[in-house]
Amino acid sequence: GRNRKREGGRGEATVGIGSDAMAARPRCALCGESGDCASELMSIGGVLQSIGPLLGPFGHDTYVHRLCALWSPEVYHENDKIRNVMAAVRRGKQLKCSLCGMRGATVGCCVDSCSRTYHIRCAEKAGCDISALEWILTCPEHARSMRNHLQSKEPAAPKEVVKLE
């Protein structure tokens, strides 16, 4: 709907809330969610993390959540700044999430031949194995096959401990 001005209590102009006003709220260019999610915590690989505030603008009017950006492989920290965000956003526009089907899914399975990609918010819901300390994600199918492979191996012989003096 269209925003309409209406008279407030003391002759002040107030703006009516309509869908145009809601559309004006910045959205994360990667996950598509609007607003600051600094207080929203989620478990990523067993580590409780904050999605973070919307950072930006990058470029003209691009915003991203801190965690959405940091899980994109091309993004890195340098001098307390997050770098290469626009490269992640451009790549994300080409990639659909294997769980929700929406674009912006820049977190891919660590198996090179796998084309599955996720939003970091969707990865945990999809059953991906996530190593938050190493920033590695494995899709459910490859995580299962890796676990089965490891379980089928014979236990390794105990290693001999050598003391260095």
PDB file of all heavy atoms in Angstrom, residues 84-124:
ATOM      1  N   ASN A  84      35.877  -7.711   0.731  1.00  0.00           N
ATOM      2  CA  ASN A  84      35.438  -8.544  -0.394  1.00  0.00           C
ATOM      3  C   ASN A  84      33.967  -8.947  -0.297  1.00  0.00           C
ATOM      4  O   ASN A  84      33.563  -9.961  -0.866  1.00  0.00           O
ATOM      5  CB  ASN A  84      36.340  -9.772  -0.527  1.00  0.00           C
ATOM      6  CG  ASN A  84      36.726 -10.029  -1.959  1.00  0.00           C
ATOM      7  OD1 ASN A  84      36.613  -9.155  -2.809  1.00  0.00           O
ATOM      8  ND2 ASN A  84      37.169 -11.230  -2.237  1.00  0.00           N
ATOM      9  N   VAL A  85      33.187  -8.156   0.394  1.00  0.00           N
ATOM     10  CA  VAL A  85      31.763  -8.458   0.582  1.00  0.00           C
ATOM     11  C   VAL A  85      31.015  -8.437  -0.750  1.00  0.00           C
ATOM     12  O   VAL A  85      30.204  -9.330  -1.019  1.00  0.00           O
ATOM     13  CB  VAL A  85      31.118  -7.483   1.587  1.00  0.00           C
ATOM     14  CG1 VAL A  85      29.605  -7.607   1.600  1.00  0.00           C
ATOM     15  CG2 VAL A  85      31.696  -7.725   2.976  1.00  0.00           C
ATOM     16  N   MET A  86      31.298  -7.470  -1.588  1.00  0.00           N
ATOM     17  CA  MET A  86      30.554  -7.365  -2.853  1.00  0.00           C
ATOM     18  C   MET A  86      30.819  -8.558  -3.768  1.00  0.00           C
ATOM     19  O   MET A  86      29.931  -8.980  -4.514  1.00  0.00           O
ATOM     20  CB  MET A  86      30.860  -6.039  -3.561  1.00  0.00           C
ATOM     21  CG  MET A  86      30.274  -4.825  -2.847  1.00  0.00           C
ATOM     22  SD  MET A  86      28.495  -4.947  -2.476  1.00  0.00           S
ATOM     23  CE  MET A  86      27.802  -4.924  -4.117  1.00  0.00           C
ATOM     24  N   ALA A  87      32.004  -9.142  -3.702  1.00  0.00           N
ATOM     25  CA  ALA A  87      32.288 -10.351  -4.494  1.00  0.00           C
ATOM     26  C   ALA A  87      31.394 -11.489  -4.021  1.00  0.00           C
ATOM     27  O   ALA A  87      30.855 -12.257  -4.831  1.00  0.00           O
ATOM     28  CB  ALA A  87      33.760 -10.730  -4.369  1.00  0.00           C
ATOM     29  N   ALA A  88      31.199 -11.614  -2.704  1.00  0.00           N
ATOM     30  CA  ALA A  88      30.313 -12.646  -2.163  1.00  0.00           C
ATOM     31  C   ALA A  88      28.868 -12.388  -2.581  1.00  0.00           C
ATOM     32  O   ALA A  88      28.149 -13.319  -2.954  1.00  0.00           O
ATOM     33  CB  ALA A  88      30.430 -12.694  -0.636  1.00  0.00           C
ATOM     34  N   VAL A  89      28.450 -11.135  -2.538  1.00  0.00           N
ATOM     35  CA  VAL A  89      27.073 -10.788  -2.920  1.00  0.00           C
ATOM     36  C   VAL A  89      26.851 -11.103  -4.396  1.00  0.00           C
ATOM     37  O   VAL A  89      25.827 -11.696  -4.765  1.00  0.00           O
ATOM     38  CB  VAL A  89      26.773  -9.309  -2.605  1.00  0.00           C
ATOM     39  CG1 VAL A  89      25.454  -8.865  -3.214  1.00  0.00           C
ATOM     40  CG2 VAL A  89      26.767  -9.089  -1.092  1.00  0.00           C
ATOM     41  N   ARG A  90      27.803 -10.746  -5.255  1.00  0.00           N
ATOM     42  CA  ARG A  90      27.663 -11.039  -6.694  1.00  0.00           C
ATOM     43  C   ARG A  90      27.573 -12.547  -6.942  1.00  0.00           C
ATOM     44  O   ARG A  90      26.732 -13.015  -7.699  1.00  0.00           O
ATOM     45  CB  ARG A  90      28.833 -10.450  -7.487  1.00  0.00           C
ATOM     46  CG  ARG A  90      28.695  -8.954  -7.745  1.00  0.00           C
ATOM     47  CD  ARG A  90      29.735  -8.440  -8.709  1.00  0.00           C
ATOM     48  NE  ARG A  90      31.098  -8.588  -8.205  1.00  0.00           N
ATOM     49  CZ  ARG A  90      31.707  -7.726  -7.405  1.00  0.00           C
ATOM     50  NH1 ARG A  90      31.077  -6.642  -7.010  1.00  0.00           N
ATOM     51  NH2 ARG A  90      32.944  -7.942  -7.009  1.00  0.00           N
ATOM     52  N   ARG A  91      28.426 -13.322  -6.275  1.00  0.00           N
ATOM     53  CA  ARG A  91      28.398 -14.769  -6.441  1.00  0.00           C
ATOM     54  C   ARG A  91      27.095 -15.335  -5.873  1.00  0.00           C
ATOM     55  O   ARG A  91      26.470 -16.216  -6.468  1.00  0.00           O
ATOM     56  CB  ARG A  91      29.602 -15.417  -5.743  1.00  0.00           C
ATOM     57  CG  ARG A  91      29.748 -16.910  -6.034  1.00  0.00           C
ATOM     58  CD  ARG A  91      31.053 -17.454  -5.495  1.00  0.00           C
ATOM     59  NE  ARG A  91      31.127 -17.411  -4.043  1.00  0.00           N
ATOM     60  CZ  ARG A  91      30.661 -18.360  -3.243  1.00  0.00           C
ATOM     61  NH1 ARG A  91      30.089 -19.438  -3.730  1.00  0.00           N
ATOM     62  NH2 ARG A  91      30.769 -18.235  -1.932  1.00  0.00           N
ATOM     63  N   GLY A  92      26.657 -14.797  -4.728  1.00  0.00           N
ATOM     64  CA  GLY A  92      25.421 -15.263  -4.095  1.00  0.00           C
ATOM     65  C   GLY A  92      24.188 -15.065  -4.957  1.00  0.00           C
ATOM     66  O   GLY A  92      23.237 -15.847  -4.880  1.00  0.00           O
ATOM     67  N   LYS A  93      24.180 -14.041  -5.801  1.00  0.00           N
ATOM     68  CA  LYS A  93      23.035 -13.804  -6.692  1.00  0.00           C
ATOM     69  C   LYS A  93      22.861 -14.940  -7.692  1.00  0.00           C
ATOM     70  O   LYS A  93      21.778 -15.131  -8.237  1.00  0.00           O
ATOM     71  CB  LYS A  93      23.205 -12.475  -7.429  1.00  0.00           C
ATOM     72  CG  LYS A  93      22.990 -11.276  -6.543  1.00  0.00           C
ATOM     73  CD  LYS A  93      23.163  -9.985  -7.299  1.00  0.00           C
ATOM     74  CE  LYS A  93      22.962  -8.798  -6.384  1.00  0.00           C
ATOM     75  NZ  LYS A  93      23.146  -7.525  -7.071  1.00  0.00           N
ATOM     76  N   GLN A  94      23.918 -15.701  -7.921  1.00  0.00           N
ATOM     77  CA  GLN A  94      23.873 -16.813  -8.871  1.00  0.00           C
ATOM     78  C   GLN A  94      23.528 -18.147  -8.202  1.00  0.00           C
ATOM     79  O   GLN A  94      23.269 -19.123  -8.893  1.00  0.00           O
ATOM     80  CB  GLN A  94      25.239 -16.964  -9.571  1.00  0.00           C
ATOM     81  CG  GLN A  94      25.787 -15.696 -10.172  1.00  0.00           C
ATOM     82  CD  GLN A  94      24.846 -15.088 -11.191  1.00  0.00           C
ATOM     83  OE1 GLN A  94      24.310 -15.783 -12.039  1.00  0.00           O
ATOM     84  NE2 GLN A  94      24.611 -13.784 -11.088  1.00  0.00           N
ATOM     85  N   LEU A  95      23.578 -18.194  -6.864  1.00  0.00           N
ATOM     86  CA  LEU A  95      23.460 -19.463  -6.149  1.00  0.00           C
ATOM     87  C   LEU A  95      22.180 -19.555  -5.335  1.00  0.00           C
ATOM     88  O   LEU A  95      21.877 -18.668  -4.543  1.00  0.00           O
ATOM     89  CB  LEU A  95      24.659 -19.631  -5.207  1.00  0.00           C
ATOM     90  CG  LEU A  95      26.031 -19.625  -5.876  1.00  0.00           C
ATOM     91  CD1 LEU A  95      27.126 -19.560  -4.822  1.00  0.00           C
ATOM     92  CD2 LEU A  95      26.193 -20.842  -6.760  1.00  0.00           C
ATOM     93  N   LYS A  96      21.442 -20.671  -5.496  1.00  0.00           N
ATOM     94  CA  LYS A  96      20.231 -20.916  -4.721  1.00  0.00           C
ATOM     95  C   LYS A  96      20.544 -21.891  -3.594  1.00  0.00           C
ATOM     96  O   LYS A  96      21.295 -22.844  -3.770  1.00  0.00           O
ATOM     97  CB  LYS A  96      19.135 -21.495  -5.604  1.00  0.00           C
ATOM     98  CG  LYS A  96      18.547 -20.486  -6.566  1.00  0.00           C
ATOM     99  CD  LYS A  96      17.394 -21.090  -7.317  1.00  0.00           C
ATOM    100  CE  LYS A  96      16.795 -20.077  -8.274  1.00  0.00           C
ATOM    101  NZ  LYS A  96      15.673 -20.670  -9.020  1.00  0.00           N
ATOM    102  N   CYS A  97      19.941 -21.641  -2.455  1.00  0.00           N
ATOM    103  CA  CYS A  97      20.117 -22.487  -1.279  1.00  0.00           C
ATOM    104  C   CYS A  97      19.518 -23.871  -1.532  1.00  0.00           C
ATOM    105  O   CYS A  97      18.397 -23.985  -2.035  1.00  0.00           O
ATOM    106  CB  CYS A  97      19.444 -21.836  -0.074  1.00  0.00           C
ATOM    107  SG  CYS A  97      19.584 -22.791   1.451  1.00  0.00           S
ATOM    108  N   SER A  98      20.277 -24.897  -1.185  1.00  0.00           N
ATOM    109  CA  SER A  98      19.812 -26.280  -1.357  1.00  0.00           C
ATOM    110  C   SER A  98      18.667 -26.629  -0.414  1.00  0.00           C
ATOM    111  O   SER A  98      17.970 -27.612  -0.640  1.00  0.00           O
ATOM    112  CB  SER A  98      20.977 -27.251  -1.139  1.00  0.00           C
ATOM    113  OG  SER A  98      21.969 -27.039  -2.122  1.00  0.00           O
ATOM    114  N   LEU A  99      18.440 -25.822   0.617  1.00  0.00           N
ATOM    115  CA  LEU A  99      17.319 -26.078   1.531  1.00  0.00           C
ATOM    116  C   LEU A  99      16.103 -25.227   1.165  1.00  0.00           C
ATOM    117  O   LEU A  99      15.043 -25.758   0.877  1.00  0.00           O
ATOM    118  CB  LEU A  99      17.714 -25.811   2.990  1.00  0.00           C
ATOM    119  CG  LEU A  99      16.599 -26.075   3.998  1.00  0.00           C
ATOM    120  CD1 LEU A  99      16.316 -27.577   4.097  1.00  0.00           C
ATOM    121  CD2 LEU A  99      16.927 -25.507   5.353  1.00  0.00           C
ATOM    122  N   CYS A 100      16.251 -23.908   1.157  1.00  0.00           N
ATOM    123  CA  CYS A 100      15.079 -23.027   0.985  1.00  0.00           C
ATOM    124  C   CYS A 100      14.838 -22.583  -0.463  1.00  0.00           C
ATOM    125  O   CYS A 100      13.774 -22.084  -0.776  1.00  0.00           O
ATOM    126  CB  CYS A 100      15.201 -21.798   1.890  1.00  0.00           C
ATOM    127  SG  CYS A 100      16.403 -20.567   1.318  1.00  0.00           S
ATOM    128  N   GLY A 101      15.837 -22.739  -1.332  1.00  0.00           N
ATOM    129  CA  GLY A 101      15.667 -22.373  -2.736  1.00  0.00           C
ATOM    130  C   GLY A 101      15.858 -20.904  -3.053  1.00  0.00           C
ATOM    131  O   GLY A 101      15.768 -20.500  -4.211  1.00  0.00           O
ATOM    132  N   MET A 102      16.129 -20.084  -2.037  1.00  0.00           N
ATOM    133  CA  MET A 102      16.326 -18.652  -2.268  1.00  0.00           C
ATOM    134  C   MET A 102      17.782 -18.366  -2.644  1.00  0.00           C
ATOM    135  O   MET A 102      18.684 -19.099  -2.251  1.00  0.00           O
ATOM    136  CB  MET A 102      15.953 -17.851  -1.012  1.00  0.00           C
ATOM    137  CG  MET A 102      14.522 -18.052  -0.546  1.00  0.00           C
ATOM    138  SD  MET A 102      13.286 -17.515  -1.745  1.00  0.00           S
ATOM    139  CE  MET A 102      13.525 -15.764  -1.678  1.00  0.00           C
ATOM    140  N   ARG A 103      17.992 -17.279  -3.364  1.00  0.00           N
ATOM    141  CA  ARG A 103      19.348 -16.906  -3.779  1.00  0.00           C
ATOM    142  C   ARG A 103      20.142 -16.326  -2.605  1.00  0.00           C
ATOM    143  O   ARG A 103      19.590 -15.985  -1.582  1.00  0.00           O
ATOM    144  CB  ARG A 103      19.293 -15.893  -4.908  1.00  0.00           C
ATOM    145  CG  ARG A 103      18.700 -16.494  -6.172  1.00  0.00           C
ATOM    146  CD  ARG A 103      18.955 -15.640  -7.389  1.00  0.00           C
ATOM    147  NE  ARG A 103      18.295 -16.193  -8.557  1.00  0.00           N
ATOM    148  CZ  ARG A 103      18.805 -17.140  -9.332  1.00  0.00           C
ATOM    149  NH1 ARG A 103      19.989 -17.637  -9.061  1.00  0.00           N
ATOM    150  NH2 ARG A 103      18.144 -17.586 -10.374  1.00  0.00           N
ATOM    151  N   GLY A 104      21.458 -16.217  -2.784  1.00  0.00           N
ATOM    152  CA  GLY A 104      22.322 -15.628  -1.761  1.00  0.00           C
ATOM    153  C   GLY A 104      23.058 -16.668  -0.938  1.00  0.00           C
ATOM    154  O   GLY A 104      23.733 -16.333   0.031  1.00  0.00           O
ATOM    155  N   ALA A 105      22.961 -17.934  -1.324  1.00  0.00           N
ATOM    156  CA  ALA A 105      23.556 -19.029  -0.553  1.00  0.00           C
ATOM    157  C   ALA A 105      25.019 -19.203  -0.941  1.00  0.00           C
ATOM    158  O   ALA A 105      25.331 -19.869  -1.914  1.00  0.00           O
ATOM    159  CB  ALA A 105      22.778 -20.312  -0.803  1.00  0.00           C
ATOM    160  N   THR A 106      25.919 -18.613  -0.174  1.00  0.00           N
ATOM    161  CA  THR A 106      27.338 -18.610  -0.538  1.00  0.00           C
ATOM    162  C   THR A 106      28.168 -19.639   0.204  1.00  0.00           C
ATOM    163  O   THR A 106      29.369 -19.736  -0.024  1.00  0.00           O
ATOM    164  CB  THR A 106      27.949 -17.221  -0.271  1.00  0.00           C
ATOM    165  OG1 THR A 106      27.761 -16.897   1.101  1.00  0.00           O
ATOM    166  CG2 THR A 106      27.331 -16.164  -1.155  1.00  0.00           C
ATOM    167  N   VAL A 107      27.566 -20.420   1.101  1.00  0.00           N
ATOM    168  CA  VAL A 107      28.321 -21.389   1.888  1.00  0.00           C
ATOM    169  C   VAL A 107      28.157 -22.762   1.239  1.00  0.00           C
ATOM    170  O   VAL A 107      27.070 -23.327   1.255  1.00  0.00           O
ATOM    171  CB  VAL A 107      27.830 -21.432   3.351  1.00  0.00           C
ATOM    172  CG1 VAL A 107      28.761 -22.289   4.198  1.00  0.00           C
ATOM    173  CG2 VAL A 107      27.734 -20.028   3.930  1.00  0.00           C
ATOM    174  N   GLY A 108      29.243 -23.262   0.662  1.00  0.00           N
ATOM    175  CA  GLY A 108      29.172 -24.514  -0.070  1.00  0.00           C
ATOM    176  C   GLY A 108      29.767 -25.680   0.694  1.00  0.00           C
ATOM    177  O   GLY A 108      30.556 -25.516   1.626  1.00  0.00           O
ATOM    178  N   CYS A 109      29.392 -26.880   0.267  1.00  0.00           N
ATOM    179  CA  CYS A 109      29.959 -28.110   0.821  1.00  0.00           C
ATOM    180  C   CYS A 109      31.453 -28.129   0.534  1.00  0.00           C
ATOM    181  O   CYS A 109      31.907 -27.685  -0.519  1.00  0.00           O
ATOM    182  CB  CYS A 109      29.275 -29.314   0.172  1.00  0.00           C
ATOM    183  SG  CYS A 109      29.919 -30.913   0.715  1.00  0.00           S
ATOM    184  N   CYS A 110      32.226 -28.661   1.486  1.00  0.00           N
ATOM    185  CA  CYS A 110      33.685 -28.676   1.342  1.00  0.00           C
ATOM    186  C   CYS A 110      34.175 -29.717   0.336  1.00  0.00           C
ATOM    187  O   CYS A 110      35.342 -29.701  -0.054  1.00  0.00           O
ATOM    188  CB  CYS A 110      34.357 -28.910   2.693  1.00  0.00           C
ATOM    189  SG  CYS A 110      34.047 -30.555   3.382  1.00  0.00           S
ATOM    190  N   VAL A 111      33.287 -30.596  -0.137  1.00  0.00           N
ATOM    191  CA  VAL A 111      33.664 -31.572  -1.156  1.00  0.00           C
ATOM    192  C   VAL A 111      33.648 -30.847  -2.509  1.00  0.00           C
ATOM    193  O   VAL A 111      32.612 -30.339  -2.930  1.00  0.00           O
ATOM    194  CB  VAL A 111      32.708 -32.788  -1.144  1.00  0.00           C
ATOM    195  CG1 VAL A 111      33.005 -33.736  -2.290  1.00  0.00           C
ATOM    196  CG2 VAL A 111      32.782 -33.500   0.199  1.00  0.00           C
ATOM    197  N   ASP A 112      34.811 -30.789  -3.158  1.00  0.00           N
ATOM    198  CA  ASP A 112      34.958 -30.005  -4.389  1.00  0.00           C
ATOM    199  C   ASP A 112      33.931 -30.339  -5.464  1.00  0.00           C
ATOM    200  O   ASP A 112      33.460 -29.450  -6.167  1.00  0.00           O
ATOM    201  CB  ASP A 112      36.365 -30.160  -4.963  1.00  0.00           C
ATOM    202  CG  ASP A 112      37.414 -29.446  -4.128  1.00  0.00           C
ATOM    203  OD1 ASP A 112      37.048 -28.528  -3.363  1.00  0.00           O
ATOM    204  OD2 ASP A 112      38.604 -29.814  -4.230  1.00  0.00           O
ATOM    205  N   SER A 113      33.581 -31.600  -5.600  1.00  0.00           N
ATOM    206  CA  SER A 113      32.661 -32.009  -6.668  1.00  0.00           C
ATOM    207  C   SER A 113      31.188 -31.754  -6.317  1.00  0.00           C
ATOM    208  O   SER A 113      30.318 -31.945  -7.161  1.00  0.00           O
ATOM    209  CB  SER A 113      32.865 -33.491  -6.990  1.00  0.00           C
ATOM    210  OG  SER A 113      32.586 -34.277  -5.837  1.00  0.00           O
ATOM    211  N   CYS A 114      30.910 -31.326  -5.104  1.00  0.00           N
ATOM    212  CA  CYS A 114      29.533 -31.100  -4.649  1.00  0.00           C
ATOM    213  C   CYS A 114      29.091 -29.674  -4.988  1.00  0.00           C
ATOM    214  O   CYS A 114      29.810 -28.713  -4.741  1.00  0.00           O
ATOM    215  CB  CYS A 114      29.431 -31.336  -3.144  1.00  0.00           C
ATOM    216  SG  CYS A 114      27.738 -31.184  -2.520  1.00  0.00           S
ATOM    217  N   SER A 115      27.896 -29.546  -5.524  1.00  0.00           N
ATOM    218  CA  SER A 115      27.383 -28.220  -5.895  1.00  0.00           C
ATOM    219  C   SER A 115      26.376 -27.668  -4.884  1.00  0.00           C
ATOM    220  O   SER A 115      25.799 -26.607  -5.115  1.00  0.00           O
ATOM    221  CB  SER A 115      26.730 -28.286  -7.277  1.00  0.00           C
ATOM    222  OG  SER A 115      25.631 -29.183  -7.238  1.00  0.00           O
ATOM    223  N   ARG A 116      26.171 -28.342  -3.759  1.00  0.00           N
ATOM    224  CA  ARG A 116      25.207 -27.857  -2.772  1.00  0.00           C
ATOM    225  C   ARG A 116      25.734 -26.607  -2.074  1.00  0.00           C
ATOM    226  O   ARG A 116      26.874 -26.566  -1.644  1.00  0.00           O
ATOM    227  CB  ARG A 116      24.902 -28.943  -1.749  1.00  0.00           C
ATOM    228  CG  ARG A 116      24.076 -30.071  -2.304  1.00  0.00           C
ATOM    229  CD  ARG A 116      23.834 -31.139  -1.252  1.00  0.00           C
ATOM    230  NE  ARG A 116      23.244 -32.312  -1.831  1.00  0.00           N
ATOM    231  CZ  ARG A 116      23.948 -33.298  -2.408  1.00  0.00           C
ATOM    232  NH1 ARG A 116      25.257 -33.233  -2.447  1.00  0.00           N
ATOM    233  NH2 ARG A 116      23.334 -34.331  -2.940  1.00  0.00           N
ATOM    234  N   THR A 117      24.856 -25.607  -1.970  1.00  0.00           N
ATOM    235  CA  THR A 117      25.192 -24.369  -1.262  1.00  0.00           C
ATOM    236  C   THR A 117      24.044 -24.023  -0.325  1.00  0.00           C
ATOM    237  O   THR A 117      22.896 -24.428  -0.550  1.00  0.00           O
ATOM    238  CB  THR A 117      25.424 -23.189  -2.229  1.00  0.00           C
ATOM    239  OG1 THR A 117      24.255 -22.997  -3.022  1.00  0.00           O
ATOM    240  CG2 THR A 117      26.633 -23.432  -3.126  1.00  0.00           C
ATOM    241  N   TYR A 118      24.365 -23.277   0.711  1.00  0.00           N
ATOM    242  CA  TYR A 118      23.386 -22.943   1.752  1.00  0.00           C
ATOM    243  C   TYR A 118      23.583 -21.517   2.235  1.00  0.00           C
ATOM    244  O   TYR A 118      24.664 -20.953   2.134  1.00  0.00           O
ATOM    245  CB  TYR A 118      23.559 -23.879   2.965  1.00  0.00           C
ATOM    246  CG  TYR A 118      23.374 -25.328   2.632  1.00  0.00           C
ATOM    247  CD1 TYR A 118      24.444 -26.104   2.221  1.00  0.00           C
ATOM    248  CD2 TYR A 118      22.117 -25.921   2.719  1.00  0.00           C
ATOM    249  CE1 TYR A 118      24.275 -27.443   1.896  1.00  0.00           C
ATOM    250  CE2 TYR A 118      21.937 -27.259   2.400  1.00  0.00           C
ATOM    251  CZ  TYR A 118      23.029 -28.012   1.981  1.00  0.00           C
ATOM    252  OH  TYR A 118      22.854 -29.325   1.663  1.00  0.00           O
ATOM    253  N   HIS A 119      22.515 -20.963   2.815  1.00  0.00           N
ATOM    254  CA  HIS A 119      22.644 -19.803   3.686  1.00  0.00           C
ATOM    255  C   HIS A 119      23.145 -20.378   5.004  1.00  0.00           C
ATOM    256  O   HIS A 119      22.751 -21.502   5.359  1.00  0.00           O
ATOM    257  CB  HIS A 119      21.281 -19.131   3.927  1.00  0.00           C
ATOM    258  CG  HIS A 119      20.618 -18.643   2.682  1.00  0.00           C
ATOM    259  ND1 HIS A 119      19.528 -19.280   2.138  1.00  0.00           N
ATOM    260  CD2 HIS A 119      20.911 -17.593   1.885  1.00  0.00           C
ATOM    261  CE1 HIS A 119      19.159 -18.628   1.053  1.00  0.00           C
ATOM    262  NE2 HIS A 119      19.985 -17.601   0.871  1.00  0.00           N
ATOM    263  N   ILE A 120      23.942 -19.664   5.747  1.00  0.00           N
ATOM    264  CA  ILE A 120      24.443 -20.219   7.008  1.00  0.00           C
ATOM    265  C   ILE A 120      23.275 -20.526   7.949  1.00  0.00           C
ATOM    266  O   ILE A 120      23.312 -21.499   8.696  1.00  0.00           O
ATOM    267  CB  ILE A 120      25.528 -19.324   7.665  1.00  0.00           C
ATOM    268  CG1 ILE A 120      26.249 -20.092   8.770  1.00  0.00           C
ATOM    269  CG2 ILE A 120      24.953 -18.009   8.143  1.00  0.00           C
ATOM    270  CD1 ILE A 120      26.941 -21.358   8.339  1.00  0.00           C
ATOM    271  N   ARG A 121      22.198 -19.736   7.882  1.00  0.00           N
ATOM    272  CA  ARG A 121      21.014 -20.009   8.710  1.00  0.00           C
ATOM    273  C   ARG A 121      20.355 -21.329   8.328  1.00  0.00           C
ATOM    274  O   ARG A 121      19.763 -22.003   9.162  1.00  0.00           O
ATOM    275  CB  ARG A 121      19.968 -18.910   8.525  1.00  0.00           C
ATOM    276  CG  ARG A 121      20.338 -17.576   9.083  1.00  0.00           C
ATOM    277  CD  ARG A 121      19.289 -16.567   8.604  1.00  0.00           C
ATOM    278  NE  ARG A 121      19.533 -15.256   9.123  1.00  0.00           N
ATOM    279  CZ  ARG A 121      18.796 -14.695  10.064  1.00  0.00           C
ATOM    280  NH1 ARG A 121      17.778 -15.316  10.590  1.00  0.00           N
ATOM    281  NH2 ARG A 121      19.086 -13.486  10.487  1.00  0.00           N
ATOM    282  N   CYS A 122      20.405 -21.700   7.051  1.00  0.00           N
ATOM    283  CA  CYS A 122      19.742 -22.918   6.567  1.00  0.00           C
ATOM    284  C   CYS A 122      20.603 -24.164   6.756  1.00  0.00           C
ATOM    285  O   CYS A 122      20.075 -25.272   6.826  1.00  0.00           O
ATOM    286  CB  CYS A 122      19.404 -22.773   5.083  1.00  0.00           C
ATOM    287  SG  CYS A 122      18.136 -21.533   4.731  1.00  0.00           S
ATOM    288  N   ALA A 123      21.901 -23.994   6.822  1.00  0.00           N
ATOM    289  CA  ALA A 123      22.816 -25.136   6.863  1.00  0.00           C
ATOM    290  C   ALA A 123      22.558 -26.042   8.061  1.00  0.00           C
ATOM    291  O   ALA A 123      22.516 -27.269   7.925  1.00  0.00           O
ATOM    292  CB  ALA A 123      24.257 -24.644   6.871  1.00  0.00           C
ATOM    293  N   GLU A 124      22.374 -25.455   9.221  1.00  0.00           N
ATOM    294  CA  GLU A 124      22.127 -26.251  10.433  1.00  0.00           C
ATOM    295  C   GLU A 124      20.788 -26.984  10.307  1.00  0.00           C
ATOM    296  O   GLU A 124      20.684 -28.158  10.629  1.00  0.00           O
ATOM    297  CB  GLU A 124      22.140 -25.333  11.656  1.00  0.00           C
ATOM    298  CG  GLU A 124      22.188 -26.068  12.962  1.00  0.00           C
ATOM    299  CD  GLU A 124      23.604 -26.327  13.469  1.00  0.00           C
ATOM    300  OE1 GLU A 124      24.556 -25.723  12.988  1.00  0.00           O
ATOM    301  OE2 GLU A 124      23.721 -27.172  14.368  1.00  0.00           O
TER     302      GLU A 124
END
